Amino acid sequence: PTTASFLGSTSTDFPRTHEKISEPKDTPYFVDNEFRLSQSKDFVLVHDPATNNLVTRVPLMTTEELQDAIDSAQKAFSSWSRVSIIARQQIMFRYVALIKENWDRLAASITLEQGKTFADARGDVLRGLQVAEAACAGPEYMKGEILEVAKDMETRTYREPLGVVAAICPFNFPAMIPLWCIPIATITGNTLVLKPSERDPGAAMILAELAEKAGFPKGVINVVHGAHDTVNYLLDSPAIKAISFVGSNKAGEYIFTRGSANGKRVQANLGAKNHALIMPDCDKGATLDAIVSAAFGAAGQRCMALSVAVFVGETRSWLDELVAKAKTLRTDAGFEDGADLGPVVTPESKSRIESLIASAEAEGAKILLDGRGYKPAKYPNGNWVAPTIIANVTPSQQCYKEEIFGPVLVCVEVDTLEAGIELINNNDYGNGAAVFTSSGAIAERFRRNIEAGQLGINVPIPVPLPMFSFTGNKKSVAGGGASTFYGKPGVNFYTQLKTVTSKWSSASISPAKAELSMPTGS
Ligand code: NAD
């Protein structure tokens, strides 16, 4: 199988294997509801993270090709924005049904290109599917307001789409993040140019194929490829009215600044360092299980992974038990039955993670469980890092300050709840934080005082479902997080309000004299 041969296959006939592909096909781009091969001579090579065998080549598209995609979206906007919301909703219903039918095919593409286990890849698809399901309520979301503001006078609001919008996606959720954007952008009447991560574009290509099948007209959804040059082209294109970005701080802060300077709306979700505060009164077994799962699931490559465990008071003696639980996890290729976590995405990512582990050791922390050097016998060439637990960590160490984005849990010890809250609030990031306790009073104190945007109370990864919104805070969002993905705020991001004030009264037909002062509503 190749990424390209994922296209057009069915959910069940796609083999789930890490075998070497004899003739890998290049990933096409998608414009005007067609797959096209780029004429570019420059490619990014995508390898299966479990084997480092070549899976596909992703083109760094030419500017002419990128402009074709933007032109296609712009041409489609004038008609798509006038398609009735009920008709757009019907297409969204079909899109939801098709994603469900192709769930396994999407998940298999994710495991092959991104590396996460097949079961976890199915979860990646589900979290995106739920945004599409919620977007089916578009007619409700798009309703305006009306008020009689004075005698014979009323003001109404209409929600109107922005035009062509772009989405720039990260590698870690190849289905979920494109689906944070596609359904909300399109149900609200915008047309979209989406750039998946150049490291794993397969799921986005399948989503494009399904969009055409669901009945999205030509040009409503376009998928382009590339890296910074492609992003710069999108950021500088006058036709593009808004940019949605999810990814690292380095890229996101730059994209926010350049996109905003060009007059575009930008929503940007960035990196994280999510803490778990472990109180002595919590359910010990359930808490340690939750932490192991949230720290090492998806090999720690989730923006909401719990990457810092804060042990309060006597809970510091639970470290051995935590290590024992982590040791039972199986690190293996994503299609292998029983794999708990897969490889990390690239050899560069593996080296970066290993160097952060080494820095912890050099700075005086203690490696309680060391996942460096691990290799499953059947897959000696993969990007393996097994679960790693580092204790005696202090806030000045590099392993605490930086987002590791790998299966590495750093452990900090504090004496009191207050000291734990202070530690968490002193961290620059503010994506998520969780407390484990059986006390309502502690949970409430945590809830009131923690500055992170998404809190869990005995819930390790508190990502809100799409009837809410993804509400990161501090350095985990650009621009102060004024815009948040999906839910009602997502609809706000993709729409512009138009307010109409009208006066209808027979007395106003021929006023005796024009009134020049501002109306006061009396
Ligand atoms: P990344 O920033 O390297 O890449 C994201 C996108 O930006 C890609 O499409 C890439 O092509 C583009 N890009 C990268 N560098 C660029 C540059 N210099 N100029 C222009 N474009 C550039 O991120 P990644 O490694 O793919 O994803 C992991 C990061 O994403 C982690 O930091 C993680 O926390 C974050 N993330 C955040 C959320 C969230 O909701 N907060 C969700 C998922 C991932």
Side-chain angles (χ1 to χ4, degrees):
T2 71
T3 302
S5 67
F6 273 79
L7 301 172
S9 63
T10 65
S11 208
T12 44
D13 71 4
F14 195 83
R16 295 175 209 159
T17 162
H18 296 281
E19 272 165 34
K20 194 169 174 26
I21 299 161
S22 51
E23 285 175 33
K25 288 189 193 155
D26 293 344
T27 294
Y29 65 99
F30 187 76
V31 169
D32 269 348
N33 275 358
E34 275 174 21
F35 288 105
R36 297 182 190 166
L37 282 176
S38 171
Q39 298 307 305
S40 173
K41 301 274 172 290
D42 299 317
F43 293 86
V44 174
L45 304 186
V46 173
H47 297 100
D48 175 350
T51 58
N52 275 306
N53 293 330
L54 183 66
V55 172
T56 184
R57 300 192 312 165
V58 180
L60 301 177
M61 281 171 58
T62 66
T63 50
E64 291 74 26
E65 291 163 350
L66 295 173
Q67 192 55 48
D68 281 351
I70 296 169
D71 290 346
S72 161
Q74 188 148 37
K75 187 155 168 256
F77 177 68
S78 55
S79 48
W80 178 244
S81 55
R82 289 184 178 84
V83 169
S84 78
I85 183 75
I86 299 294
R88 295 204 292 255
Q89 184 193 38
Q90 290 301 317
I91 295 175
M92 196 60 66
F93 284 141
R94 289 197 289 276
Y95 197 42
V96 163
L98 284 163
I99 294 170
K100 282 187 186 156
E101 272 171 36
N102 288 272
W103 196 328
D104 284 359
R105 181 159 68 110
L106 283 156
S109 127
I110 294 172
T111 299
L112 186 63
E113 293 185 351
Q114 198 273 355
K116 64 179 75 173
T117 65
F118 184 68
D120 198 36
R122 293 190 87 252
D124 185 332
V125 178
L126 174 63
R127 288 287 172 259
L129 170 65
Q130 288 170 327
V131 179
E133 287 173 335
C136 292
E140 193 59 34
Y141 282 131
M142 289 295 276
K143 276 184 186 166
E145 292 177 319
I146 185 163
L147 182 70
E148 284 184 338
V149 290
K151 185 165 180 295
D152 296 332
M153 191 181 275
E154 65 178 30
T155 299
R156 283 169 287 162
T157 59
Y158 293 84
R159 262 184 200 287
E160 297 191 339
L162 306 178
V164 181
V165 297
I168 300 160
C169 304
F171 82 85
N172 66 326
F173 280 101
M176 179 183 83
I177 306 273
L179 285 170
W180 279 6
C181 302
I182 296 170
I184 317 275
T186 56
I187 194 80
T188 50
N190 300 281
T191 55
L192 177 68
V193 177
L194 181 133
K195 192 196 89 63
S197 169
E198 63 278 25
R199 287 182 262 176
D200 47 21
M205 300 322 296
I206 297 171
L207 290 170
E209 179 198 302
L210 301 180
E212 190 271 327
K213 285 204 176 108
F216 281 99
K218 277 183 186 180
V220 174
I221 296 167
N222 302 279
V223 182
V224 299
H225 301 296
H228 355 333
D229 290 348
T230 295
V231 171
N232 284 341
Y233 197 82
L234 300 175
L235 292 174
D236 293 345
S237 164
I240 291 176
K241 303 298 176 209
I243 303 274
S244 297
F245 171 84
V246 180
S248 66
N249 280 68
K250 187 166 169 257
E253 283 161 15
Y254 163 75
I255 286 169
F256 183 84
T257 307
R258 186 156 169 171
S260 304
N262 284 337
K264 302 180 196 312
R265 283 188 187 184
V266 185
Q267 56 178 348
N269 274 8
L270 314 178
K273 199 80 180 172
N274 308 304
H275 293 62
L277 194 64
I278 303 158
M279 296 303 295
D281 67 352
C282 72
D283 176 336
K284 182 178 166 189
T287 299
L288 294 180
D289 283 342
I291 288 171
V292 162
S293 137
F296 303 120
Q301 298 172 117
R302 290 178 180 144
C303 65
M304 285 291 281
L306 271 184
S307 50
V308 184
V310 185
F311 289 88
V312 181
E314 73 217 45
T315 67
R316 66 191 70 196
S317 66
W318 301 355
L319 270 166
D320 289 346
E321 211 167 312
L322 182 76
V323 170
K325 281 185 188 284
K327 274 187 180 162
T328 66
L329 298 177
R330 189 166 136 208
T331 308
D332 208 340
F335 288 127
E336 291 292 332
D337 287 338
D340 292 305
L341 60 148
V344 298
V345 68
T346 54
E348 295 74 35
S349 185
K350 172 182 151 90
S351 333
R352 194 183 46 76
I353 295 164
E354 286 177 343
S355 74
L356 280 162
I357 301 172
S359 79
E361 220 168 11
E363 290 181 309
K366 196 166 165 206
I367 316 288
L368 296 184
L369 181 64
D370 193 346
R372 290 173 293 181
Y374 169 83
K375 275 181 198 173
K378 199 169 152 194
Y379 301 96
N381 300 323
N383 312 319
W384 304 108
V385 184
T388 298
I389 297 181
I390 310 178
N392 292 352
V393 170
T394 61
S396 63
Q397 290 168 0
Q398 203 188 349
C399 70
Y400 177 81
K401 288 193 286 192
E402 262 187 51
E403 181 182 37
I404 300 178
F405 225 55
V408 180
L409 177 68
V410 304
C411 301
V412 187
E413 295 164 19
V414 295
D415 293 329
T416 60
L417 169 65
E418 286 68 29
I421 291 174
E422 195 184 334
L423 174 95
I424 296 172
N425 286 344
N426 282 339
N427 193 278
D428 286 342
Y429 291 105
N431 226 24
V435 66
F436 293 89
T437 180
S438 58
S439 154
I442 289 176
E444 190 54 15
R445 182 114 47 105
F446 183 85
R447 196 271 303 169
R448 279 182 193 280
N449 293 302
I450 289 287
E451 290 165 6
Q454 305 177 99
L455 303 187
I457 294 167
N458 298 319
V459 172
I461 303 194
V463 175
L465 289 183
M467 50 299 276
F468 294 90
S469 191
F470 193 100
T471 53
N473 194 1
K474 293 164 71 180
K475 216 177 125 184
S476 295
V477 281
S483 301
T484 56
F485 282 77
Y486 62 79
K488 282 184 198 153
V491 172
N492 282 339
F493 179 78
Y494 282 122
T495 53
Q496 164 73 48
L497 285 180
K498 182 181 272 175
T499 54
V500 178
T501 300
S502 38
K503 186 170 182 185
W504 295 106
S505 77
S506 53
S508 73
I509 292 172
S510 41
K513 187 171 180 299
E515 179 57 66
L516 269 70
S517 56
M518 241 186 211
T520 53
S522 54

